[in-house]
Amino acid sequence: MDIRKEFLQFFAGHGHEIYPSAPLVPDDATLLFTNAGMVPFKNIFTGAVPPPVPPRRTTCQTCIRAGGKHNDLENVGYTARHHTFFEMLGNFSFGDYFKAQVIPFAWEFVTQVLELPKDKLYVTVHESDDEAFEIWSQVIDAKRIYRFGDHDNFWAMGDTGPCGPCSEIFYDQGEEHFRGSEDYMGGDGDRFLEIWNLVFMQFERSLDGTMSALPKPSIDTGMGLERVTAIKEGKFSNYDSSLFMPLIDEVARMTGKRYEYESGAGMRVIADHIRAVTFLLAQGVNFDKEGRGYVLRRILRRAVRHGYLLGLKKPFMHELSRAVVAQMGDHYTYLRERADAVREMIALEEERFYATLASGISLFNDELSRTKDKFSGEVAFKLYDTYGFPFDLTQDMLRDRGISADSAKFDELMSEQKARAKASWKGSGDHAAQSGDFKALIEKFGVNKFIGYDTTECDATILALLDSEFHAREQIMAGNNCWVMLDRTPFYATSGGQSADTGTLAGSAVVDTQKFYELNLCKVEASTTLSVGQSVHCVVSAERAQTARHHSATHLLHYALRAVLGSGVAQAGSMVAHDRLRFDFSYPKAMSAEQVAKVQEMVNEMISRGGAAHTEIMNIDEAKNSGAMALFGEKYGESVRVVSIGETKELCGGTHVKDASEIGAFFIIKESGVSAGVRRIEAVCASSAVRFAQGLRDEIAEISAELKSNEPIIAIKKLKEQIKELKNELKRVSAGRELGVTDIAGTAVCVDIFDGDIKAKIDELKNRHERAVVVLARIEGERVQLACGVKGANIKAGELIKATAGIVGGGGGGRDDFATAGGKDASKLGAALEFAMNFIKEKLA
């Protein structure tokens, strides 16, 4: 049985719109990942926006719980039902039906569609919820209904806001299998397994704790697909079900070991984690040093470590991702589209970790052999900082030995590092915006109309004015900033990477344009008094035309990158402004100069051929079937805008040229890395490209004048040859000359410049004298290399070289008898060597 399909079709048959799974990265500043089925509808439940039409939805939502408040990572693999990635089946009512309808829905699905035995089912309700008890009594024996308190049967979104009692359906897995002291209804044992939670949102909790009845109560339910699949298949662990066993079997094949439940935690960890890693990468999350990318890296490295202990001494997770795609790619089609790119990114990250894994485990084992009570927090931090071992991976390695790590010391060192490196991930939400008067505006006016595709100038009416805290005002006086909602607007709001339009509104400057809950609002610096109902003339800045050229250029660039680098390339972010563009894309390594040149050439060829840009409004499925590229994570409605420019075809809501030839010229300024598996191209086109070319021409002219040559490239090559010859001659002279050695208090002291092997020269001088202190420097362009050797003298080489290097803007250190350092300011070398000599004289005096 395809439970996912049966669930969605069941509720679709009861008037629910099937809503696609929202991205794992939520549009919510308070959450790291989407961790529950209701997350995409949070603004509806809180009342920030009105309910949709129809007010019923059903989903199978992909979720991640591996960071922040909901973090199940440590338990994954060691329990029967904890997962980092899981699917949550749910049905939702936004002020439509309530308990009298949702309880029969749930009972019908569980008993008639899933065909679970009624004598195995139990129900819980809140101790005060007589209504739910009575409704349940109509379909199930009252003896099977249990009343519990707030801890078990009351749900709240937070300290304030929507909340209410809930009712849970339990499945009895059998007394013959579970006979522990906690295996009773309400106990912590596994005999009675919760399969479905029905939340009745009927109250609003205020700051003082007072609860008032909501005028339109709502329903939010959640049933874990993994859990109900295991029950349906008669399994006592989710990992024994058909959702996980194909992955576990593949791990067993890779390791050549037989899977057994009692000793198979490592295989279960790998099977769970490869699902999370594959989905996150396919949805555009990339490995990183912080935030979501760091959580992704933790998950992969935890799995790799378990694989290593199972004998997998080379990367394997990238191959295992094929099994995830084969199993889930039919329902989540983007997995197939991104399969090659995902494998490449996993392989690259695995290779990085394997390079340090053996050394890290060696350090871990050394410290473990000395550990009596707590594992050193300093070593745990070194494992994290130097070898890439997340702290919970170290804890995971210790758990089988019954030892804990010094988490307080680790946290202290981590805090110090964060303070130095400037903190990690922060949400991007605007709390003022979240508490603004948007719901009232949407209910009163609906979403205002954007007409900027066809015009950049129009007359419009002010529907609403909002102050800096997003609260409605009838009038804004001159000299104040405000947000303006127009009945129709030519101003494009920041979206899809395209920067916001600016311009004028009734003579006042429009300095920004943003969307708040789909409302297009302009930020205005009012130079005159603005009033609700006022007719105003709007003009978009002339920069819009240049922005449109750069936006169209990104479409051509995306197409060229896929043509040159392969179809695995996927957009990972973009920024389009009037004077430049930035395009991030998934690719595992730096592009070669030839590839960059080929991409640039291909874009310019498409521009030179020209071709009208076409825009069509299509159904979302029709658009995707037509070959239009869609970006994962972008919000698309039922109808979408498809933009075709030459060979390119993408879903896009941005503004574009009417013909590719309007883009003019295109230059790639820079190709660089953003994070593991993500590259970035920065480029310019149109008038910015002209300025770029002019700048290059001016630089060449300046170089030609400086070299007094009309062929500067040839002149530069000759100069490089001359410099090379002079450097070789300098080395020969320097290596051959005798360095100045001074006797100070019976110690041979040498502080000098030496353009050769300074370590070998120091060793030579130390071998020649009973007592010696030697400081030698070598100049390399603007930088300086320093080394110090000490023999038989009461001077520490590390201390001396560190102090000396500080003068040339560097640092270093080493042993008491030999140390090295570097500096970035060769102009201060004379002062540094003078300091070194004075330091030595003072110490030897």
Side-chain angles (χ1 to χ4, degrees), residues 529-550:
T529 299
L530 298 176
S531 304
V532 172
Q534 179 180 345
S535 295
V536 292
H537 187 67
C538 307
V539 180
V540 178
S541 165
E543 290 179 346
R544 156 78 85 79
Q546 297 299 320
T547 302
R549 291 180 171 93
H550 281 89

Side-chain angles (χ1 to χ4, degrees), residues 655-669:
T655 61
H656 290 275
V657 297
K658 289 184 169 54
D659 192 282
S661 60
E662 295 176 32
I663 300 173
F666 174 86
F667 289 108
I668 293 177
I669 306 298

Side-chain angles (χ1 to χ4, degrees), residues 573-602:
S574 68
M575 186 284 297
V576 178
H578 70 280
D579 58 347
R580 68 194 187 283
L581 68 87
R582 187 179 69 226
F583 190 84
D584 296 345
F585 58 98
S586 58
Y587 194 62
K589 55 189 175 183
M591 293 174 66
S592 66
E594 292 76 13
Q595 288 173 326
V596 172
K598 180 63 178 174
V599 168
Q600 180 173 284
E601 179 185 358
M602 185 175 289

Side-chain angles (χ1 to χ4, degrees), residues 476-482 504-509 524-530:
I476 296 292
M477 306 303 291
N480 294 306
N481 293 344
C482 64
T504 59
L505 182 155
S508 296
V524 177
E525 294 178 346
S527 58
T528 59
T529 299
L530 298 176

